[in-house]
Amino acid sequence: MGVDVGLDHLLTLSTGEKVANPRHERRDRARLARAQRNLARKLPGGGADRAKARRKVAKVYARIVDRRRDHLHRLTTRLVRDNQTIVIEDLAVRNLVKNHTLARAISDAAWAELRRMLEYKAAWYGRDVIAVDRFFPSSKLCSACGTVQAEMPLGVRKWACGCGAVHDRDVNAAKNILAVGLTASVCGAGVRPQRSTPGGRSATKQKPLRREP
């Protein structure tokens, strides 16, 4: 199974299935904000009232964390049980959350925790998890003919290739992630994105793909 993570949909699978993003933190954001404002009004050393306000904030945080963890457990267990090999992107989540516009949404999606769960459950069930290089152009590559598009803005969700194939951006990416991951598992190497040379030609740089246990 090829897996593409996102924010509009938490996961898009190479089968075409899309898993909705529950956005647990956003659903409880108003409740959390009220609890935090109430706590902020309590003076330090405010005794029982401040302690009660702190417990309310902690309770909202715990609710968010518990719901997120439960959803990820159910999802990762299903993926590991149903598939012998799962291919994902090797995303640098720590770098992605430096984007202050998306940091809150990325943290709420918990991509790093999703991968951690997949890896240790795969070890339990004797499955394989393969991580594809984060620079692999999964969204810009046509899964039908292999042509790499020059540009693919984030706002483009569907696109048509010159070969006539029409792609859903995320499903196409998941299919490409699966294909390159399976190739890597056999050959031990994968293809990095094509980069333009000073002379205008493109060159393909190869780097081994990391295989996780």
Side-chain angles (χ1 to χ4, degrees), residues 16 29 40 50 60 78 97 122 183:
R29 190 173 295 174
R50 181 173 174 83
V60 177
R78 176 171 71 89
V97 295
T183 300

Side-chain angles (χ1 to χ4, degrees), residues 137 139-142 145-152 159-162 167:
S139 297
K140 298 192 294 184
L141 178 66
C142 175
C145 70
T147 301
V148 179
Q149 305 298 307
E151 295 182 355
M152 186 64 61
W159 58 278
C161 179
H167 298 294

Side-chain angles (χ1 to χ4, degrees), residues 6 46 68 74 80 155 161 177:
R68 181 188 297 129
R74 293 173 184 270
V80 170
C161 179
I177 289 170

Side-chain angles (χ1 to χ4, degrees), residues 3-7 9-12 87-98 102 105-107 109-116 118-119 129-139 154 169-170 173 177 209-210 212:
V3 178
D4 179 61
V5 300
L7 296 177
H9 293 89
L10 181 60
L11 297 182
T12 300
V87 188
I88 59 177
E89 286 184 287
D90 184 21
L91 296 177
V93 178
R94 289 185 180 179
N95 293 336
L96 292 173
V97 295
K98 293 178 182 179
L102 299 176
I106 292 173
S107 298
W111 293 338
E113 180 66 8
L114 173 71
R115 175 174 175 175
R116 187 186 73 84
L118 281 175
E119 289 175 341
V129 173
I130 302 172
V132 173
D133 193 293
R134 70 194 63 160
F135 296 109
F136 176 69
S138 57
S139 297
L154 287 175
R169 179 193 182 103
D170 298 332
I177 289 170
L209 296 176
R210 186 171 63 186
E212 302 293 345

